[in-house]
Amino acid sequence: MTVRILFFASLRERAGRKEMSLEVEPGTTAATLLDRLRRDVPAMAGAGRISLAVNEEYCEPDQTLHDGDEIALIPPVSGGR
Amino acid sequence: MIRLTDEPIRIDDLMSATADPAAGATVVFVGMTRDNNEGRSVERLEYEAYPGMAEKELERIAEEASQRWPIARVAIVHRTGVVPIGEASVAIAASSGHRGDAFDAARFTIDRLKEVVPIWKKEFFEGGAVWIGDQKGEEGVWKNEGGDAPSE
């Protein structure tokens, strides 16, 4: 099955693109996907804290992904005091 | 009113959106681009949003604020793209019967926004640029801790 990965901010700049499609095994979880991305995508090397959103909602690590899901990699948001 | 815009924010719009005959107080918070940060001379900020999700999260915060305090109305506008020094990047208005609730709700709204809404800030300063990120771990938001903090 295929999922769509969205990159933002520092990750988008490192990757040099806004999104990519990725073939994953059925049953893949968010945590598994993130581990794979950290391993396989050069832009992710050295990236720090990342949250994932599936279809515009923050997700838990054990959430199972489905065909066509839109997965956003979310680096730390804007902060400020 | 929940809105992302690449135009300058007009505070009057937020005042109109939160106007209510039952409201005796409106608190407006405006976050602006500052010309300095951590000893750096800042030239401008640039904001990037994940549009659909950012709006959903803003709606959720406004809803939560209105459940926690007896608020008449909440308005949130966040600017994206380049925001020059002295201009507003975010504005929040909360109207309520009395000022205490309006202050509390506005404070809650900006604090929560900074924690969970997928909007990122890039600071352009004299001699470089950096993505700012100091999001703390929040219940309900999954953080996969790994590797070092981003450094650019």
Side-chain angles (χ1 to χ4, degrees):
Chain A
M1 63 183 200
T2 308
V3 296
R4 198 155 66 99
I5 316 283
L6 305 184
F7 299 97
F8 292 100
S10 56
L11 291 175
R12 173 182 56 71
E13 289 185 347
R14 287 157 180 260
R17 55 180 164 181
K18 290 182 173 180
E19 59 176 273
M20 64 184 273
S21 287
L22 194 67
E23 281 292 325
V24 297
E25 293 296 316
T28 298
T29 64
T32 311
L33 176 73
L34 185 56
D35 286 346
R36 178 177 161 191
L37 291 170
R38 284 187 185 279
R39 199 176 57 236
D40 295 350
V41 179
M44 302 278 292
R49 201 172 51 203
I50 296 173
S51 303
L52 259 66
V54 177
N55 301 325
E56 301 185 349
E57 298 283 346
Y58 283 109
C59 71
E60 295 298 321
D62 61 357
Q63 182 168 331
T64 302
L65 305 179
H66 298 95
D67 188 46
D69 276 352
E70 178 179 291
I71 319 288
L73 304 180
I74 304 195
V77 298
S78 72
R81 302 191 294 273
Chain B
M1 178 175 67
I2 303 293
R3 184 184 297 164
L4 299 181
T5 178
D6 56 7
E7 304 280 320
I9 296 174
R10 297 187 311 187
I11 305 302
D12 282 355
D13 292 349
L14 287 99
M15 292 298 292
S16 308
T18 52
D20 190 298
T26 298
V27 167
V28 178
F29 168 81
V30 182
M32 288 168 297
T33 299
R34 195 173 65 240
D35 72 356
N36 67 91
N37 189 34
E38 296 179 355
R40 300 186 290 261
S41 181
V42 176
E43 294 170 348
R44 67 180 188 281
L45 295 178
E46 203 169 313
Y47 287 85
E48 175 176 336
Y50 177 13
M53 181 172 173
E55 283 146 0
K56 272 190 197 172
E57 290 292 326
L58 290 172
E59 293 279 1
R60 194 166 286 163
I61 293 167
E63 176 64 26
E64 193 177 342
S66 67
Q67 282 171 3
R68 290 178 63 166
W69 292 277
I71 309 178
R73 297 169 197 271
V74 176
I76 311 172
V77 180
H78 206 301
R79 189 166 167 187
T80 56
V82 174
V83 181
I85 304 292
E87 294 192 18
S89 54
V90 59
I92 288 164
S95 64
S96 190
H98 302 280
R99 65 182 180 276
D101 289 332
F103 271 112
D104 290 348
R107 175 76 195 237
F108 165 83
T109 300
I110 184 61
D111 287 350
R112 192 84 183 122
L113 181 157
K114 291 289 187 179
E115 289 167 354
V116 300
V117 178
I119 297 177
W120 299 271
K121 175 165 74 177
K122 189 174 189 182
E123 178 190 304
F124 291 82
F125 56 91
E126 211 175 287
V130 65
W131 286 97
I132 305 295
D134 61 357
Q135 186 183 15
K136 303 293 184 290
E138 270 300 301
E139 200 175 335
V141 181
W142 170 38
K143 295 288 171 288
N144 186 304
E145 301 287 350
D148 299 316
S151 58
E152 306 208 5

